[in-house]
Amino acid sequence: MKLRAAVHYKSKDMLKSAGTYFIVLLTILLAVIAVARINVSNGGSSYVTFSGYTIGAWVMMLVMGICAIREDLRFFIQNGVGRRTAFLTQWIAALELAALLAIGGRLFQLLANAIAQSTPNVRIGELYSMLYAQGAMSLSLWQHVESFMLYLGFLLMAYMGGMFFSLLFYVLNKTMQIVVAVSIPFLLFAGIPFIWPYFSGPLTAVYRFCAVSSWNLLLVFLIVTAIIGAVNRLITRRIPIRGL
Amino acid sequence: MIRYLNQERPIFLQIAEMLKDAILSGAYPEDAQIPSITEFSVAYNINPATALKGVTLLVEEGLLYKKRGLGMFVASGARQQLVAQRKEGFYRDYIEPMIREARHLEIGSVELQQMTERGMKEHGDRNQ
Amino acid sequence: MGIEISKVTKRFGSTCALQAVDLELKEQGLYGLLGNNGAGKTTFFNVITNRLYPDSGSVRVDGAEAADRDDVLGKIYMMGEENYYPEDMKVRKAFEVTGLFYPDFNKARALELAKQFGLDTKKKITKLSTGYASIFRMILALCVNTPYLLLDEPVLGLDARHRDMFYKALIEKYAEEPCTIVISTHLIQEVAHIIEHAVVIRDGTIMKDAPTEALLDGCWNISGPRDKVADFVRGKNAVKESTMGGLSSVLVDGLPEEIQVPDGLEKHKATLQDYFIALMDKEELRDETSRSCSL
């Protein structure tokens, strides 16, 4: 019963977020096309590429994951909703938002394709098409399904990842927070090149596996999401929930 | 009727006393409804159980009666009963100490009667 | 059935916030959780509502283990000192969503109280002044209609008029729909006649747990000339003494109701505040030594 109330409470926010995102991206797209048209009418011949939808949606999911968890744990416990339900609600809300953004992605692709027909110097890029359809702008129905599913996994992973960082900083004390904050960029720029040779074997194997089909990549996304999700659940199980 | 509660005596006794005063003064006429327990406890910032205890005391003395679903009412004859009750108290609290003090001052019963009559006159005797 | 707290211990680093606390809160009753700042009142509430897990011990509500169970947690509403609402949420919106989680929430009454207290429902919760933030949380607490209500220092930051209004609203709620209400406070005089059961907490330990009447039964303040008072209280259980010049006043426990004091002395019923202060003073003397957690 509480789960339904909690999901209902989150749903509106998710719908609002997805709607806002879609409108903003559409506005940017129209601006890009306008610029391209002006370019063409002035005799220019440069190509304009727009591939912001996927990465934008990913970053948005990451930020939502970072922002939502602490606020929701607090709000829910105040309203008599336990941690388990609060966590389950996060999954449902994330899935809802990811689905909305994935559907949005399809609509965006179709819309952009329709508009771009009359503006040949505009290219609309997106994750699936770039990886598995040689950047084609017009996709078959099955390709749309594959793309939708890939988005879903990609975005869910972002949400759970964001939640993980939020929880990590919540449970760490001040000193450890600084240590972690400093070591993240360090690991990215120095650590990965350093350990790369040791893991190049398995990583190359994963890369080859993913290259085969979008379903393989989706599987990898889902496995990563499940692992982070499990860690998140372990953290939320007993952390103190404090007010502001 | 609202007056301040003090720390000297239990609150429920003070509530009972206050109710009796109100009945005696006619603020709550006979067969009229008195405020509810909620109203009493809110007015005095006290626990409803305490207010109930005070009211129950008067019910037990037959000064109030309960109408199911409606509330508490002042019993007919309540004022009369209170006057009698207080007269008894008057004798104990005022007359007895007065007599004791009169003995100390060697005031006889005739002189005492004269003094009483004087007092009655000076304060405008309502019974004459 | 009530809330049963058994052997609850909670430590923060080396300090012991709660020490093997056992307490039973019965169905229906107005409890006062009395203690100085830092006595463990908030931690106690936080453990009951599962905001915190105790290090050991358990909380059972109506016979069921409370930890992380929605159906059980939904029976309790805690009004804390901190904000648990999203930073951009407005008062009106909070009134709306509370009904989702608490089906018995009386929104009409909440709006009525908001008007009475002058709470602007269009404001963001986090933008409210300290006093109004308390009022906001208090209104929710008075209107959710859960069987158990925990109020943590509810009048903090409220002015005299709003305090009085709060106590009246609280008593009205309790008189109309009896439930279990626990008010934690260090302002004892204000709740002395409202609560019917006092729980005194100090350094994470429950020191007294009794109906207020029983607690104060036999407690009298004897005052008068110093020597006379000293003669009278000799051999009796004198809890606290205060002197001023040649006069003194002693709080004595265990005197029968009808005891007569000699001429020149006066006896007054001790108040809950007198009793509380006496108890705290006595404890202060007892353990000047360091306190540690016993397991």
Side-chain angles (χ1 to χ4, degrees):
Chain A
M1 227 60 268
K2 291 272 183 171
L3 180 68
R4 191 193 287 177
V7 170
H8 181 83
Y9 165 76
K10 286 290 287 176
S11 265
K12 262 187 215 157
D13 278 355
M14 296 294 123
L15 211 66
K16 227 190 287 175
S17 310
T20 312
Y21 181 74
F22 196 72
I23 289 165
V24 169
L25 263 282
L26 213 59
T27 315
I28 297 173
L29 175 74
L30 291 176
V32 165
I33 290 172
V35 168
R37 288 223 165 155
I38 291 165
N39 183 273
V40 169
S41 62
N42 289 346
S45 60
S46 60
Y47 260 96
V48 179
T49 310
F50 184 73
S51 52
Y53 191 93
T54 318
I55 195 68
W58 194 83
V59 170
M60 180 169 152
M61 288 294 284
L62 184 80
V63 173
M64 297 281 287
I66 292 172
C67 296
I69 183 68
R70 296 191 210 177
E71 183 181 294
D72 287 349
L73 277 177
R74 256 201 298 271
F75 178 75
F76 286 148
I77 202 83
Q78 175 66 63
N79 286 287
V81 180
R83 296 135 194 274
R84 192 195 326 230
T85 308
F87 189 69
L88 203 57
T89 308
Q90 293 294 307
W91 272 102
I92 295 171
L95 200 64
E96 184 190 338
L97 183 56
L100 285 170
L101 289 172
I103 291 170
R106 297 303 86 230
L107 283 174
F108 195 78
Q109 187 70 13
L110 292 171
L111 210 63
N113 203 18
I115 299 169
Q117 299 254 286
S118 55
T119 321
N121 63 337
V122 171
R123 296 205 65 82
I124 309 297
E126 57 129 17
L127 182 74
Y128 174 83
S129 134
M130 283 191 292
L131 291 178
Y132 298 103
Q134 289 84 44
M137 286 182 65
S138 162
L139 301 175
S140 70
L141 185 63
W142 178 244
Q143 282 177 317
H144 274 303
V145 171
E146 285 190 330
S147 177
F148 171 83
M149 293 305 291
L150 194 62
Y151 263 85
L152 221 53
F154 190 52
L155 297 179
L156 265 182
M157 187 174 71
Y159 194 91
M160 280 297 144
M163 189 193 290
F164 171 73
F165 280 109
S166 185
L167 290 171
L168 187 69
F169 281 99
Y170 188 69
V171 293
L172 294 179
N173 60 34
K174 264 270 158 350
T175 330
M176 284 309 289
Q177 282 180 12
I178 295 167
V179 170
V180 171
V182 170
S183 57
I184 286 172
F186 177 78
L187 277 175
L188 279 179
F189 293 111
I192 289 176
F194 181 73
I195 61 166
W196 181 254
Y198 303 99
F199 291 95
S200 60
L203 284 173
T204 318
V206 171
Y207 172 76
R208 290 226 178 91
F209 174 74
C210 292
V212 173
S213 99
S214 72
W215 296 99
N216 288 11
L217 182 59
L218 176 64
L219 185 68
V220 171
F221 284 161
L222 290 180
I223 289 170
V224 173
T225 308
I227 293 169
I228 304 173
V231 173
N232 287 347
R233 170 62 188 142
L234 284 177
I235 301 175
T236 50
R237 224 168 64 87
R238 291 182 87 90
I239 47 164
I241 302 172
R242 291 182 224 104
L244 294 170
Chain B
M1 59 152 250
I2 290 194
R3 66 180 182 207
Y4 290 99
L5 303 173
N6 59 45
Q7 308 289 348
E8 315 289 305
R9 290 180 314 136
I11 303 295
F12 76 95
L13 284 181
Q14 295 187 51
I15 294 291
E17 209 53 45
M18 182 274 305
L19 265 168
K20 285 180 182 175
D21 283 352
I23 293 171
L24 209 54
S25 73
Y28 298 144
E30 290 177 3
D31 289 314
Q33 190 173 9
I34 64 159
S36 68
I37 295 299
T38 306
E39 284 172 285
F40 274 121
S41 39
V42 167
Y44 288 100
N45 274 8
I46 56 169
N47 192 286
T50 315
L52 182 66
K53 214 168 150 187
V55 170
T56 309
L57 223 54
L58 271 76
V59 175
E60 280 166 2
E61 287 181 34
L63 297 167
L64 296 177
Y65 65 94
K66 191 176 185 174
K67 271 194 201 168
R68 204 162 280 281
L70 286 173
M72 293 288 183
F73 290 79
V74 179
S76 47
R79 214 185 95 82
Q80 213 42 50
Q81 193 183 331
L82 273 173
V83 169
Q85 214 180 70
R86 294 259 166 129
K87 270 186 181 165
E88 197 50 44
F90 179 75
Y91 184 81
R92 194 182 59 236
D93 295 342
Y94 298 95
I95 303 299
E96 281 181 352
M98 183 176 82
I99 306 252
R100 263 200 304 272
E101 186 67 8
R103 288 258 161 81
H104 285 303
L105 303 174
E106 294 172 357
I107 298 171
S109 93
V110 177
E111 198 182 345
L112 189 60
Q113 208 168 344
Q114 281 167 353
M115 285 172 96
T116 323
E117 271 164 20
R118 194 180 104 203
M120 286 290 213
K121 242 174 231 142
E122 277 172 17
H123 288 87
D125 191 346
R126 272 190 277 165
N127 286 341
Q128 274 182 11
Chain C
M1 296 270 268
I3 301 183
E4 283 166 75
I5 294 110
S6 47
K7 305 259 173 311
V8 164
T9 294
K10 178 74 194 172
R11 254 157 294 157
F12 296 111
S14 60
T15 54
C16 200
L18 295 174
Q19 215 170 124
V21 167
D22 281 311
L23 191 70
E24 202 189 330
L25 300 166
K26 293 199 179 66
E27 221 172 338
Q28 291 192 12
L30 233 168
Y31 291 78
L33 181 64
L34 314 175
N36 293 324
N37 289 319
K41 303 187 295 275
T42 304
T43 307
F44 183 64
F45 282 171
N46 281 341
V47 166
I48 295 178
T49 53
N50 202 221
R51 283 157 165 82
L52 288 178
Y53 270 90
D55 297 330
S56 59
S58 73
V59 177
R60 299 178 80 81
V61 179
D62 296 342
E65 191 77 34
D68 208 4
R69 278 193 48 183
D70 298 340
D71 54 338
V72 179
L73 294 175
K75 290 182 186 175
I76 316 169
Y77 191 88
M78 171 175 170
M79 172 198 170
E81 288 180 61
E82 293 171 321
N83 177 40
Y84 278 77
Y85 290 83
E87 282 182 67
D88 59 344
M89 191 181 272
K90 288 184 176 148
V91 173
R92 185 175 287 276
K93 167 92 173 169
F95 284 179
E96 268 158 33
V97 294
T98 301
L100 286 175
F101 300 98
Y102 294 104
D104 294 330
F105 176 65
N106 187 342
K107 194 180 157 196
R109 173 78 176 138
L111 290 170
E112 186 188 313
L113 280 172
K115 207 169 163 194
Q116 238 176 64
F117 278 88
L119 171 68
D120 183 0
T121 55
K122 290 191 219 56
K123 258 193 159 168
K124 279 185 184 170
I125 296 159
T126 44
K127 291 279 187 299
L128 296 170
S129 66
T130 318
Y132 273 107
S134 284
I135 288 169
F136 160 72
R137 293 193 292 271
M138 172 252 289
I139 289 176
L140 282 177
L142 289 177
C143 298
V144 285
N145 292 317
T146 52
Y148 302 98
L149 201 53
L150 311 178
L151 309 173
D152 192 12
E153 297 281 2
V155 296
L156 214 72
L158 262 60
D159 59 35
R161 187 174 145 266
H162 281 156
R163 276 181 197 205
D164 190 57
M165 285 166 71
F166 161 68
Y167 289 126
K168 289 195 188 317
L170 178 77
I171 294 167
E172 193 180 331
K173 183 206 153 45
Y174 182 68
E176 308 269 286
E177 304 153 50
C179 54
T180 305
I181 301 178
V182 189
I183 311 175
S184 96
T185 185
H186 62 279
L187 303 168
I188 287 134
Q189 201 64 62
E190 289 190 4
V191 298
H193 299 312
I194 297 175
I195 60 173
E196 52 207 18
H197 195 107
V199 177
V200 180
I201 184 170
R202 185 176 181 278
D203 292 330
T205 315
I206 305 286
M207 301 188 54
K208 296 279 171 188
D209 165 23
T212 31
E213 251 174 69
L215 210 58
L216 295 176
D217 199 31
C219 283
W220 296 88
N221 272 315
I222 307 294
S223 55
R226 205 167 169 173
D227 298 343
K228 266 193 158 174
V229 172
D231 279 346
F232 180 76
V233 303
R234 189 162 300 129
K236 299 186 174 74
N237 184 12
V239 191
K240 181 185 162 71
E241 188 185 358
S242 48
T243 54
M244 195 186 70
L247 296 174
S248 80
S249 168
V250 176
L251 198 159
V252 189
D253 194 354
L255 284 185
E257 186 84 21
E258 63 287 345
I259 197 163
Q260 295 290 331
V261 289
D263 275 345
L265 291 188
E266 278 183 55
K267 73 167 192 179
H268 291 287
K269 196 96 189 89
T271 65
L272 192 59
Q273 175 140 313
D274 295 335
Y275 182 81
F276 178 80
I277 293 171
L279 199 65
M280 291 297 131
D281 280 356
K282 206 167 143 192
E283 286 303 308
E284 207 66 45
L285 286 175
R286 185 179 297 172
D287 59 1
E288 298 288 58
T289 51
S290 70
R291 309 168 196 114
S292 57
C293 236
S294 53
L295 285 173

mmCIF file of all heavy atoms in Angstrom, chain B residues 81-108:
data_model
loop_
_atom_site.group_PDB
_atom_site.id
_atom_site.type_symbol
_atom_site.label_atom_id
_atom_site.label_comp_id
_atom_site.label_asym_id
_atom_site.label_seq_id
_atom_site.Cartn_x
_atom_site.Cartn_y
_atom_site.Cartn_z
ATOM 1 N N GLN B 81 -28.717 22.044 47.441
ATOM 2 C CA GLN B 81 -27.833 21.067 48.086
ATOM 3 C C GLN B 81 -26.487 21.700 48.437
ATOM 4 O O GLN B 81 -25.922 21.463 49.500
ATOM 5 C CB GLN B 81 -27.639 19.893 47.119
ATOM 6 C CG GLN B 81 -27.007 18.663 47.746
ATOM 7 C CD GLN B 81 -26.777 17.572 46.710
ATOM 8 O OE1 GLN B 81 -27.531 17.497 45.734
ATOM 9 N NE2 GLN B 81 -25.767 16.758 46.916
ATOM 10 N N LEU B 82 -25.998 22.543 47.510
ATOM 11 C CA LEU B 82 -24.704 23.193 47.736
ATOM 12 C C LEU B 82 -24.783 24.189 48.884
ATOM 13 O O LEU B 82 -23.872 24.284 49.700
ATOM 14 C CB LEU B 82 -24.245 23.915 46.474
ATOM 15 C CG LEU B 82 -23.456 23.066 45.482
ATOM 16 C CD1 LEU B 82 -23.223 23.850 44.199
ATOM 17 C CD2 LEU B 82 -22.119 22.653 46.089
ATOM 18 N N VAL B 83 -25.929 24.922 48.925
ATOM 19 C CA VAL B 83 -26.098 25.901 49.999
ATOM 20 C C VAL B 83 -26.052 25.183 51.349
ATOM 21 O O VAL B 83 -25.349 25.600 52.266
ATOM 22 C CB VAL B 83 -27.430 26.677 49.823
ATOM 23 C CG1 VAL B 83 -27.744 27.504 51.077
ATOM 24 C CG2 VAL B 83 -27.363 27.599 48.611
ATOM 25 N N ALA B 84 -26.765 24.056 51.438
ATOM 26 C CA ALA B 84 -26.778 23.280 52.677
ATOM 27 C C ALA B 84 -25.366 22.799 53.014
ATOM 28 O O ALA B 84 -24.909 22.902 54.161
ATOM 29 C CB ALA B 84 -27.727 22.096 52.523
ATOM 30 N N GLN B 85 -24.684 22.312 51.980
ATOM 31 C CA GLN B 85 -23.310 21.812 52.161
ATOM 32 C C GLN B 85 -22.397 22.916 52.699
ATOM 33 O O GLN B 85 -21.641 22.729 53.633
ATOM 34 C CB GLN B 85 -22.804 21.355 50.793
ATOM 35 C CG GLN B 85 -21.869 20.170 50.819
ATOM 36 C CD GLN B 85 -21.421 19.807 49.403
ATOM 37 O OE1 GLN B 85 -20.668 20.546 48.776
ATOM 38 N NE2 GLN B 85 -21.910 18.682 48.914
ATOM 39 N N ARG B 86 -22.546 24.095 52.101
ATOM 40 C CA ARG B 86 -21.686 25.210 52.487
ATOM 41 C C ARG B 86 -22.024 25.731 53.877
ATOM 42 O O ARG B 86 -21.163 26.213 54.593
ATOM 43 C CB ARG B 86 -21.807 26.346 51.459
ATOM 44 C CG ARG B 86 -21.276 25.963 50.097
ATOM 45 C CD ARG B 86 -19.893 26.533 49.873
ATOM 46 N NE ARG B 86 -19.287 25.897 48.740
ATOM 47 C CZ ARG B 86 -18.726 26.567 47.726
ATOM 48 N NH1 ARG B 86 -18.705 27.872 47.721
ATOM 49 N NH2 ARG B 86 -18.192 25.892 46.741
ATOM 50 N N LYS B 87 -23.355 25.635 54.233
ATOM 51 C CA LYS B 87 -23.760 26.093 55.571
ATOM 52 C C LYS B 87 -23.045 25.257 56.630
ATOM 53 O O LYS B 87 -22.558 25.774 57.615
ATOM 54 C CB LYS B 87 -25.273 25.973 55.732
ATOM 55 C CG LYS B 87 -26.009 27.231 55.289
ATOM 56 C CD LYS B 87 -27.493 27.141 55.602
ATOM 57 C CE LYS B 87 -28.188 28.414 55.127
ATOM 58 N NZ LYS B 87 -29.651 28.238 55.081
ATOM 59 N N GLU B 88 -22.976 23.966 56.363
ATOM 60 C CA GLU B 88 -22.284 23.064 57.272
ATOM 61 C C GLU B 88 -20.822 23.485 57.389
ATOM 62 O O GLU B 88 -20.260 23.589 58.475
ATOM 63 C CB GLU B 88 -22.394 21.620 56.737
ATOM 64 C CG GLU B 88 -22.083 20.538 57.747
ATOM 65 C CD GLU B 88 -22.833 20.722 59.043
ATOM 66 O OE1 GLU B 88 -24.057 21.024 59.028
ATOM 67 O OE2 GLU B 88 -22.184 20.612 60.095
ATOM 68 N N GLY B 89 -20.253 23.798 56.243
ATOM 69 C CA GLY B 89 -18.851 24.247 56.201
ATOM 70 C C GLY B 89 -18.679 25.573 56.904
ATOM 71 O O GLY B 89 -17.684 25.806 57.588
ATOM 72 N N PHE B 90 -19.692 26.430 56.738
ATOM 73 C CA PHE B 90 -19.648 27.759 57.358
ATOM 74 C C PHE B 90 -19.551 27.628 58.866
ATOM 75 O O PHE B 90 -18.750 28.282 59.517
ATOM 76 C CB PHE B 90 -20.914 28.531 56.949
ATOM 77 C CG PHE B 90 -20.996 29.910 57.540
ATOM 78 C CD1 PHE B 90 -20.204 30.937 57.046
ATOM 79 C CD2 PHE B 90 -21.869 30.170 58.585
ATOM 80 C CE1 PHE B 90 -20.281 32.203 57.594
ATOM 81 C CE2 PHE B 90 -21.936 31.436 59.140
ATOM 82 C CZ PHE B 90 -21.154 32.450 58.644
ATOM 83 N N TYR B 91 -20.359 26.718 59.411
ATOM 84 C CA TYR B 91 -20.336 26.515 60.858
ATOM 85 C C TYR B 91 -18.946 26.063 61.319
ATOM 86 O O TYR B 91 -18.370 26.599 62.260
ATOM 87 C CB TYR B 91 -21.397 25.481 61.256
ATOM 88 C CG TYR B 91 -21.472 25.299 62.760
ATOM 89 C CD1 TYR B 91 -22.198 26.208 63.544
ATOM 90 C CD2 TYR B 91 -20.801 24.255 63.393
ATOM 91 C CE1 TYR B 91 -22.242 26.073 64.922
ATOM 92 C CE2 TYR B 91 -20.841 24.112 64.764
ATOM 93 C CZ TYR B 91 -21.570 25.028 65.524
ATOM 94 O OH TYR B 91 -21.602 24.904 66.888
ATOM 95 N N ARG B 92 -18.401 25.106 60.563
ATOM 96 C CA ARG B 92 -17.111 24.524 60.951
ATOM 97 C C ARG B 92 -15.962 25.528 60.775
ATOM 98 O O ARG B 92 -15.105 25.685 61.617
ATOM 99 C CB ARG B 92 -16.860 23.270 60.101
ATOM 100 C CG ARG B 92 -15.728 22.382 60.606
ATOM 101 C CD ARG B 92 -15.534 21.207 59.666
ATOM 102 N NE ARG B 92 -15.222 21.670 58.315
ATOM 103 C CZ ARG B 92 -15.919 21.341 57.231
ATOM 104 N NH1 ARG B 92 -16.969 20.555 57.326
ATOM 105 N NH2 ARG B 92 -15.571 21.803 56.055
ATOM 106 N N ASP B 93 -16.000 26.245 59.643
ATOM 107 C CA ASP B 93 -14.858 27.098 59.293
ATOM 108 C C ASP B 93 -14.900 28.471 59.945
ATOM 109 O O ASP B 93 -13.876 29.107 60.126
ATOM 110 C CB ASP B 93 -14.784 27.282 57.774
ATOM 111 C CG ASP B 93 -14.486 25.968 57.070
ATOM 112 O OD1 ASP B 93 -14.002 25.039 57.754
ATOM 113 O OD2 ASP B 93 -14.748 25.857 55.861
ATOM 114 N N TYR B 94 -16.110 28.978 60.243
ATOM 115 C CA TYR B 94 -16.183 30.353 60.754
ATOM 116 C C TYR B 94 -16.744 30.428 62.182
ATOM 117 O O TYR B 94 -16.192 31.132 63.021
ATOM 118 C CB TYR B 94 -17.031 31.227 59.822
ATOM 119 C CG TYR B 94 -16.424 31.322 58.439
ATOM 120 C CD1 TYR B 94 -16.825 30.469 57.425
ATOM 121 C CD2 TYR B 94 -15.432 32.274 58.166
ATOM 122 C CE1 TYR B 94 -16.276 30.548 56.164
ATOM 123 C CE2 TYR B 94 -14.865 32.357 56.906
ATOM 124 C CZ TYR B 94 -15.285 31.492 55.903
ATOM 125 O OH TYR B 94 -14.727 31.575 54.673
ATOM 126 N N ILE B 95 -17.858 29.737 62.409
ATOM 127 C CA ILE B 95 -18.515 29.860 63.711
ATOM 128 C C ILE B 95 -17.655 29.247 64.825
ATOM 129 O O ILE B 95 -17.404 29.890 65.844
ATOM 130 C CB ILE B 95 -19.919 29.210 63.695
ATOM 131 C CG1 ILE B 95 -20.782 29.834 62.597
ATOM 132 C CG2 ILE B 95 -20.585 29.364 65.069
ATOM 133 C CD1 ILE B 95 -21.021 31.333 62.741
ATOM 134 N N GLU B 96 -17.182 28.041 64.592
ATOM 135 C CA GLU B 96 -16.388 27.385 65.636
ATOM 136 C C GLU B 96 -15.144 28.192 66.018
ATOM 137 O O GLU B 96 -14.936 28.453 67.203
ATOM 138 C CB GLU B 96 -16.030 25.956 65.232
ATOM 139 C CG GLU B 96 -17.213 25.022 65.451
ATOM 140 C CD GLU B 96 -16.910 23.575 65.094
ATOM 141 O OE1 GLU B 96 -15.818 23.325 64.529
ATOM 142 O OE2 GLU B 96 -17.749 22.715 65.372
ATOM 143 N N PRO B 97 -14.337 28.646 65.052
ATOM 144 C CA PRO B 97 -13.178 29.476 65.448
ATOM 145 C C PRO B 97 -13.595 30.783 66.113
ATOM 146 O O PRO B 97 -12.926 31.258 67.021
ATOM 147 C CB PRO B 97 -12.452 29.755 64.130
ATOM 148 C CG PRO B 97 -13.100 28.935 63.099
ATOM 149 C CD PRO B 97 -14.348 28.357 63.636
ATOM 150 N N MET B 98 -14.739 31.322 65.660
ATOM 151 C CA MET B 98 -15.201 32.583 66.247
ATOM 152 C C MET B 98 -15.521 32.388 67.721
ATOM 153 O O MET B 98 -15.142 33.209 68.552
ATOM 154 C CB MET B 98 -16.436 33.073 65.477
ATOM 155 C CG MET B 98 -16.955 34.408 65.960
ATOM 156 S SD MET B 98 -18.316 34.999 64.966
ATOM 157 C CE MET B 98 -19.668 34.102 65.683
ATOM 158 N N ILE B 99 -16.221 31.298 68.016
ATOM 159 C CA ILE B 99 -16.584 31.024 69.406
ATOM 160 C C ILE B 99 -15.317 30.850 70.242
ATOM 161 O O ILE B 99 -15.206 31.371 71.353
ATOM 162 C CB ILE B 99 -17.456 29.749 69.501
ATOM 163 C CG1 ILE B 99 -18.653 29.874 68.573
ATOM 164 C CG2 ILE B 99 -17.808 29.424 70.961
ATOM 165 C CD1 ILE B 99 -19.989 30.087 69.180
ATOM 166 N N ARG B 100 -14.337 30.111 69.654
ATOM 167 C CA ARG B 100 -13.084 29.900 70.382
ATOM 168 C C ARG B 100 -12.432 31.228 70.728
ATOM 169 O O ARG B 100 -12.032 31.475 71.847
ATOM 170 C CB ARG B 100 -12.109 29.064 69.534
ATOM 171 C CG ARG B 100 -12.134 27.570 69.882
ATOM 172 C CD ARG B 100 -10.862 26.887 69.401
ATOM 173 N NE ARG B 100 -10.639 27.082 67.973
ATOM 174 C CZ ARG B 100 -11.127 26.276 67.031
ATOM 175 N NH1 ARG B 100 -11.840 25.222 67.362
ATOM 176 N NH2 ARG B 100 -10.910 26.523 65.764
ATOM 177 N N GLU B 101 -12.343 32.092 69.706
ATOM 178 C CA GLU B 101 -11.720 33.399 69.894
ATOM 179 C C GLU B 101 -12.537 34.233 70.890
ATOM 180 O O GLU B 101 -11.982 34.942 71.736
ATOM 181 C CB GLU B 101 -11.602 34.108 68.539
ATOM 182 C CG GLU B 101 -10.860 35.420 68.545
ATOM 183 C CD GLU B 101 -9.372 35.280 68.863
ATOM 184 O OE1 GLU B 101 -8.874 34.130 68.926
ATOM 185 O OE2 GLU B 101 -8.717 36.317 69.075
ATOM 186 N N ALA B 102 -13.877 34.116 70.827
ATOM 187 C CA ALA B 102 -14.759 34.871 71.747
ATOM 188 C C ALA B 102 -14.480 34.465 73.183
ATOM 189 O O ALA B 102 -14.459 35.295 74.080
ATOM 190 C CB ALA B 102 -16.213 34.621 71.388
ATOM 191 N N ARG B 103 -14.271 33.179 73.392
ATOM 192 C CA ARG B 103 -13.952 32.689 74.734
ATOM 193 C C ARG B 103 -12.680 33.348 75.249
ATOM 194 O O ARG B 103 -12.633 33.818 76.377
ATOM 195 C CB ARG B 103 -13.709 31.177 74.709
ATOM 196 C CG ARG B 103 -14.973 30.372 74.514
ATOM 197 C CD ARG B 103 -15.470 29.779 75.852
ATOM 198 N NE ARG B 103 -16.883 29.407 75.745
ATOM 199 C CZ ARG B 103 -17.305 28.278 75.195
ATOM 200 N NH1 ARG B 103 -16.434 27.401 74.738
ATOM 201 N NH2 ARG B 103 -18.595 28.033 75.129
ATOM 202 N N HIS B 104 -11.639 33.416 74.358
ATOM 203 C CA HIS B 104 -10.380 34.064 74.745
ATOM 204 C C HIS B 104 -10.608 35.488 75.184
ATOM 205 O O HIS B 104 -9.999 35.982 76.118
ATOM 206 C CB HIS B 104 -9.393 34.086 73.552
ATOM 207 C CG HIS B 104 -8.761 32.761 73.269
ATOM 208 N ND1 HIS B 104 -8.054 32.064 74.202
ATOM 209 C CD2 HIS B 104 -8.725 32.002 72.128
ATOM 210 C CE1 HIS B 104 -7.625 30.928 73.671
ATOM 211 N NE2 HIS B 104 -8.030 30.869 72.404
ATOM 212 N N LEU B 105 -11.495 36.183 74.458
ATOM 213 C CA LEU B 105 -11.725 37.612 74.724
ATOM 214 C C LEU B 105 -12.834 37.844 75.735
ATOM 215 O O LEU B 105 -13.261 38.978 75.948
ATOM 216 C CB LEU B 105 -12.046 38.329 73.401
ATOM 217 C CG LEU B 105 -10.975 38.191 72.302
ATOM 218 C CD1 LEU B 105 -11.477 38.820 71.012
ATOM 219 C CD2 LEU B 105 -9.665 38.841 72.737
ATOM 220 N N GLU B 106 -13.350 36.734 76.315
ATOM 221 C CA GLU B 106 -14.430 36.797 77.296
ATOM 222 C C GLU B 106 -15.651 37.512 76.757
ATOM 223 O O GLU B 106 -16.248 38.370 77.395
ATOM 224 C CB GLU B 106 -13.937 37.424 78.607
ATOM 225 C CG GLU B 106 -12.898 36.535 79.288
ATOM 226 C CD GLU B 106 -12.225 37.198 80.493
ATOM 227 O OE1 GLU B 106 -12.530 38.380 80.774
ATOM 228 O OE2 GLU B 106 -11.420 36.520 81.139
ATOM 229 N N ILE B 107 -16.020 37.183 75.532
ATOM 230 C CA ILE B 107 -17.246 37.729 74.947
ATOM 231 C C ILE B 107 -18.353 36.717 75.206
ATOM 232 O O ILE B 107 -18.223 35.554 74.822
ATOM 233 C CB ILE B 107 -17.077 37.968 73.428
ATOM 234 C CG1 ILE B 107 -15.961 39.000 73.193
ATOM 235 C CG2 ILE B 107 -18.390 38.428 72.792
ATOM 236 C CD1 ILE B 107 -15.559 39.151 71.754
ATOM 237 N N GLY B 108 -19.421 37.155 75.824
ATOM 238 C CA GLY B 108 -20.524 36.258 76.141
ATOM 239 C C GLY B 108 -21.473 36.110 74.972
ATOM 240 O O GLY B 108 -21.342 36.795 73.960
#
